[in-house]
Amino acid sequence: MRNYIIKRLIYSIIIAWGILTITFVLLRVGPSSPVDRYILNIAARGQDVDSVKQAIEARYGLNKPITEQYFSYMGNLLQGNWGWSFSASMPVLELIGSHWIYSFQLILLATIFAIILGVGLGMLAAVKQNTKFDYAASIFSFIGISIPGFWLGLMLILVFAVYLGFFKTYYDTNYPIWSLENLKQLILPVMALGIGELAGYVRYTRSAMLDNLHKEFVTTARAKGLPESTVIGKHVLRNAILPLVTIIMFDLGSVVFGGAYLTEIVFGIPGLGQVSFNAIFADDYAVVVAVTLIGTFLVLFINLATDLFYTYLDPRIRYE
Amino acid sequence: MSEEKIVSRGGIKLPVHVNRRLVRYYWDRLKKNKLSLAGLGFIVFLALLGTFGPFFAADPQHVDFDVKNLPPLGFSTQESIYDIKTSTFTTTVHPGRSDHPLGTDSKGRDMLAMLISGSRISLLVGLLATGIAISLGTFLGVLSAYLGGWADNLLMRFTDVMMTFPFFLLLVLIVFIFGPSLTIIVIVIGLTGWTGAARLIRSEALSLRTRDFITASKALGASDNRIIFNHLIPNVASLIIVMATLSIPGVIMAEAALSFIGMGDPMSTSWGTILNTGQHTLDTAWWVAVEPGIMLFLTVLSFNFFGDGLRDAFDPKATV
């Protein structure tokens, strides 16, 4: 078991290194330079563009060959120095430190919302198989999967903020993160992000429940005279949970990287998605590489945690 | 209806069965799924609209500020003007006009023409990028399974890196570096979207490889090429078709999301581009954000329904 974890960790580091290298090379071989954004200001002040550009590049070591830049970046990273953000004029770690909580909160709330509702609806649909409720749940999940999250976000803003006036049309950063006002303004973003996830969970829960609903141990449980709620909630659900855990954990990875970014942009939430997009447009490579790296490690960690969690859920599973 | 043709292979005349009955069988199974048929119907409609529509519709990029923010037919907007000289409010009602049946955006561009142009682009990007991704995935998957050993290991580790890579961030990054054009978008989505296909095809090919009919053809002296192209690929064909159908919606959504955040091809009008304009006029012209989203949603839903029906039709174990 210990060897397995060590092997997986080494493997994760190699994958993360590969992704870091690809991102770094993509950003640094591109035609634009982080200095470009200063140039308009420099020209407006009547200074000589080329000499100032060279001075800035020399200061941040951008004029050195790309391999040298890469190795010095890697060296710094291994010493815990994540670099300097050109666009925000602060250390990358500080920039990420002040924004990660917004993304974390959004993803956490959306996932809780999706798991509770999705697993609940899926269980009900399985128990009431082939009834009107089951069909409605199945149509709902098809709709939820097919609706683009960012458009759903726009529609929620249109109906609940613009026309009904229940919410503000912008995200107010003045509230403390866990205050009631802040949670209230997260209702729409959480729905926009969560409904897509939820729809998937309904389908997977339903089919995982159906796989177990007609097994012999269920008949035994019923024959023992157990109440239906115990049969479904304990005997069937516990056996259906293993495939569900995989889906939910893997889905979390795509939420971190896809849905949450777009949701942040639609609702103007200043999380890491917003930060990394601004950084891409500003050619602020240190920030982009750092955010990509953190996200990658998160996904790799979630995958490892899922595999280890299995051994707890299903003690028959052993890793070599 | 099995037709027998005589085909000459290497000087030996062989009868070849052109099995039309199989196609007929699948079609009959597919026909029973009404939602799947409806999906196919909408896809065909969209294909016709995208192919022939632009020849009849107005120029989607034609700007005319005289007709800006016109509502769709059957709706009307009110404009209140306060006259400072006479201190009176005059309210003018702008009803929808039949020359712009779906309304116009904030620059007076015709919504119908833009939606038609968008359906062409969505389908084009969806089909081309999926084509690239699935061909590449099939090729790499079969190759990996067939070669085995260190080549298989290397290919699969590379697949792992690509799978962990934050897909949308990579997309934005590459489009930012190489400039937003449809060609770049198609190539990037195609070159990054093959991982799922490669894994699935590989595992399928691995299980096929040990089956008796492959062993038999090897024993008969069939070449590697023959085994791959005449035995392996036809046996995963249904899997490939289903996978392709179900990956098109993801590609269409990715293109829309990209255009929505302002990284679409500026020379063409896609649904995402319209949404990008529409998000700023939610309070004055809701239809600009609503209409392209509905098209996008219906398209994705249709491909999901159709793909789901195809999967059931191809699966001999499924009851339809």
Side-chain angles (χ1 to χ4, degrees):
Chain A
M1 194 67 186
R2 227 183 88 218
N3 286 344
Y4 174 77
I5 297 177
I6 292 171
K7 214 169 101 187
R8 282 287 299 263
L9 282 176
I10 293 173
Y11 182 48
S12 300
I13 290 171
I14 294 173
I15 289 186
W17 169 75
I19 285 174
L20 181 148
T21 307
I22 296 174
T23 318
F24 187 90
V25 170
L26 272 176
L27 275 160
R28 296 302 299 129
V29 298
S32 55
S33 144
V35 186
D36 288 347
R37 56 184 284 106
Y38 298 120
I39 283 182
L40 279 178
N41 288 333
I42 300 164
R45 274 191 249 121
Q47 283 167 287
D48 178 29
V49 171
D50 283 335
S51 66
V52 177
K53 188 172 175 175
Q54 276 161 14
I56 297 175
E57 285 188 339
R59 183 172 168 198
Y60 292 110
L62 297 169
N63 52 355
K64 290 176 189 151
I66 175 130
T67 43
E68 205 175 308
Q69 287 185 44
Y70 173 71
F71 285 118
S72 88
Y73 179 83
M74 286 295 292
N76 283 333
L77 195 62
L78 290 176
Q79 293 166 33
N81 179 1
W82 290 72
W84 180 263
S85 161
F86 299 108
S87 57
S89 296
M90 58 165 85
V92 170
L93 214 52
E94 206 175 295
L95 180 72
I96 289 173
S98 59
H99 287 280
W100 73 275
I101 186 77
Y102 294 103
S103 303
F104 174 75
Q105 192 185 28
L106 175 67
I107 293 168
L108 181 76
L109 293 177
T111 307
I112 293 174
F113 165 75
I115 290 178
I116 292 178
L117 264 177
V119 173
L121 278 176
M123 279 173 67
L124 267 180
V127 173
K128 300 179 184 243
Q129 196 193 358
N130 294 333
T131 62
K132 280 206 174 103
F133 179 85
D134 185 23
Y135 295 133
S138 146
I139 295 280
F140 167 77
S141 76
F142 256 118
I143 290 176
I145 290 167
S146 306
I147 211 161
F150 59 95
W151 181 65
L152 181 63
L154 277 186
M155 291 302 101
L156 291 173
I157 295 177
L158 178 67
V159 175
F160 292 104
V162 175
Y163 280 93
L164 296 175
F166 292 167
F167 303 96
K168 281 185 226 161
T169 50
Y170 61 96
Y171 185 84
D172 195 336
T173 48
N174 289 323
Y175 299 125
I177 266 289
W178 295 105
S179 69
L180 219 56
E181 288 90 348
N182 191 42
L183 292 178
K184 189 193 159 199
Q185 63 178 350
L186 275 173
I187 291 177
L188 294 186
V190 162
M191 279 173 71
L193 183 57
I195 284 183
E197 283 181 77
L198 189 164
Y201 300 162
V202 173
R203 281 181 87 177
Y204 292 120
T205 310
R206 182 181 174 275
S207 68
M209 291 286 289
L210 285 180
D211 280 345
N212 286 294
L213 209 51
H214 303 292
K215 292 241 173 95
E216 282 170 3
F217 65 86
V218 180
T219 318
T220 313
R222 287 212 177 99
K224 282 196 297 187
L226 291 178
E228 192 63 17
S229 59
T230 315
V231 174
I232 301 296
K234 287 207 163 154
H235 293 246
V236 183
L237 182 65
R238 281 189 186 176
N239 279 287
I241 222 152
L242 200 63
L244 267 181
V245 169
T246 334
I247 300 287
I248 291 175
M249 295 293 227
F250 281 115
D251 205 50
L252 210 55
S254 72
V255 168
V256 170
F257 277 134
Y261 277 19
L262 286 167
T263 313
E264 283 179 16
I265 288 174
V266 170
F267 288 92
I269 299 171
L272 288 184
Q274 191 87 264
V275 167
S276 60
F277 274 120
N278 293 342
I280 288 179
F281 290 118
D283 227 316
D284 201 344
Y285 72 91
V287 179
V288 182
V289 175
V291 174
T292 314
L293 201 59
I294 290 174
T296 306
F297 265 120
L298 202 66
V299 170
L300 289 169
F301 175 75
I302 290 172
N303 291 354
L304 179 59
T306 315
D307 287 348
L308 296 182
F309 193 43
Y310 275 179
T311 55
Y312 168 74
L313 288 177
D314 185 349
R316 287 171 303 183
I317 296 176
R318 284 275 174 269
Y319 296 113
E320 294 297 312
Chain B
M1 276 154 277
S2 184
E3 273 178 24
E4 220 167 71
K5 273 204 246 165
I6 304 296
V7 177
S8 172
R9 287 262 166 86
I12 308 163
K13 289 209 184 303
L14 292 168
V16 172
H17 294 280
V18 180
N19 205 338
R20 288 195 187 155
R21 195 180 286 160
L22 199 63
V23 176
R24 188 62 198 256
Y25 168 74
Y26 287 142
W27 172 242
D28 282 341
R29 282 169 72 91
L30 184 71
K31 259 199 316 201
K32 286 188 195 139
N33 186 336
K34 293 288 175 277
L35 285 176
S36 181
L37 270 193
L40 179 63
F42 187 77
I43 296 168
V44 170
F45 163 72
L46 208 65
L48 292 174
L49 192 71
T51 315
F52 301 109
F55 296 118
F56 302 102
D59 176 12
Q61 308 241 6
H62 178 70
V63 172
D64 182 357
F65 284 100
D66 290 341
V67 291
K68 67 172 184 183
N69 288 342
L70 275 182
L73 263 186
F75 295 91
S76 57
T77 49
Q78 283 186 356
E79 190 183 20
S80 296
I81 296 168
Y82 181 68
D83 190 340
I84 201 152
K85 284 179 196 149
T86 56
S87 322
T88 46
F89 266 114
T90 39
T91 304
T92 350
V93 176
H94 296 289
R97 284 174 20 183
S98 55
D99 53 341
H100 298 290
L102 293 179
T104 57
D105 73 350
S106 55
K107 288 181 181 165
R109 288 174 292 197
D110 184 49
M111 284 300 294
L112 181 64
M114 288 201 287
L115 291 179
I116 289 175
S117 156
S119 60
R120 172 179 274 195
I121 287 169
S122 283
L123 275 190
L124 211 60
V125 172
L127 293 177
L128 288 179
T130 307
I132 297 177
I134 298 288
S135 322
L136 203 62
T138 308
F139 175 72
L140 289 177
V142 171
L143 195 72
S144 198
Y146 206 80
L147 291 176
W150 63 268
D152 176 36
N153 218 336
L154 194 71
L155 271 170
M156 281 303 112
R157 294 299 80 80
F158 180 58
T159 314
D160 285 342
V161 173
M162 290 301 287
M163 268 188 144
T164 325
F165 210 112
F167 167 71
F168 197 66
L169 201 65
L170 181 67
L171 204 60
V172 175
L173 200 62
I174 297 182
V175 172
F176 173 73
I177 291 167
F178 293 99
S181 81
L182 277 184
T183 325
I184 294 286
I185 294 173
V186 166
I187 291 177
V188 175
I189 299 180
L191 291 188
T192 49
W194 51 269
T195 49
R199 271 203 177 171
L200 202 65
I201 298 288
R202 175 180 170 271
S203 68
E204 195 64 21
L206 273 182
S207 82
L208 280 174
R209 212 170 64 137
T210 54
R211 298 268 279 278
D212 287 343
F213 71 96
I214 301 277
T215 319
S217 45
K218 258 190 203 154
L220 287 169
S223 66
D224 285 356
N225 269 343
R226 191 184 161 84
I227 290 177
I228 289 179
F229 288 102
N230 283 17
H231 295 292
L232 280 182
I233 292 194
N235 271 294
V236 290
S238 65
L239 193 70
I240 295 172
I241 294 172
V242 171
M243 202 160 46
T245 315
L246 289 175
S247 24
I248 290 173
V251 174
I252 291 180
M253 279 223 232
E255 189 277 329
L258 210 54
S259 309
F260 172 67
I261 62 164
M263 304 207 69
D265 189 338
M267 300 308 289
S268 56
T269 309
S270 84
W271 292 333
T273 326
I274 314 174
L275 279 174
N276 184 20
T277 342
Q279 67 168 328
H280 303 297
T281 56
L282 280 180
D283 49 347
T284 48
W286 51 266
W287 52 90
V288 184
V290 171
E291 288 168 8
I294 291 177
M295 291 300 281
L296 191 58
F297 165 62
L298 287 179
T299 309
V300 173
L301 191 68
S302 300
F303 274 106
N304 281 339
F305 276 151
F306 181 54
D308 218 51
L310 269 185
R311 180 168 45 201
D312 285 347
F314 283 141
D315 183 1
K317 277 171 283 178
T319 45
V320 290

